[in-house]
């Protein structure tokens, strides 16, 4: 969620409207050290976003296995 800090501050400074995060996702390997993908999802959606970004009303979670295309399993 720290990834959105600058953009969140900029946008909330120019409008009072609710916000959305258009796409967010994580892989097992992309989760922070010591966290699983499931732990990251729980922490992010239940604590980080509601606690730090109170004007966010919609989050689209990207969930797709792209490992057959040479990418990752999100």
């Amino acid at each position: 969620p720290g990834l959105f800090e600058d953009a969140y501050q900029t946008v909330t400074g120019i409008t009072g409207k609710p916000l959305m995060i258009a796409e967010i996702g994580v892989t097992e390997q992309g989760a922070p050290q010591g966290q699983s993908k499931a732990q990251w999802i729980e922490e992010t959606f239940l604590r980080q976003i509601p606690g730090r970004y109170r004007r966010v009303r919609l989050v689209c979670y990207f969930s797709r296995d792209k490992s057959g295309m040479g990418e990752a399993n999100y």
Side-chain angles (χ1 to χ4, degrees):
L3 172 68
F4 301 109
E5 194 67 39
D6 291 341
Y8 181 82
Q9 294 304 322
T10 299
V11 173
T12 57
I14 60 175
T15 183
K17 293 184 177 189
L19 305 173
M20 72 177 275
I21 297 173
E23 186 176 297
I24 191 171
V26 68
T27 65
E28 282 293 344
Q29 298 77 22
Q33 181 89 14
Q35 264 190 340
S36 70
K37 178 179 177 176
Q39 289 168 322
W40 180 89
I41 291 168
E42 182 177 335
E43 175 69 18
T44 299
F45 283 82
L46 297 181
R47 287 179 275 292
Q48 292 292 325
I49 291 174
R52 291 175 70 172
Y53 307 110
R54 297 188 183 278
R55 300 241 316 263
V56 171
R57 295 291 178 259
L58 174 72
V59 179
C60 293
Y61 181 76
F62 183 81
S63 179
R64 184 172 179 195
D65 183 356
K66 295 181 83 176
S67 57
M69 297 176 238
E71 293 186 37
N73 181 359
Y74 293 90

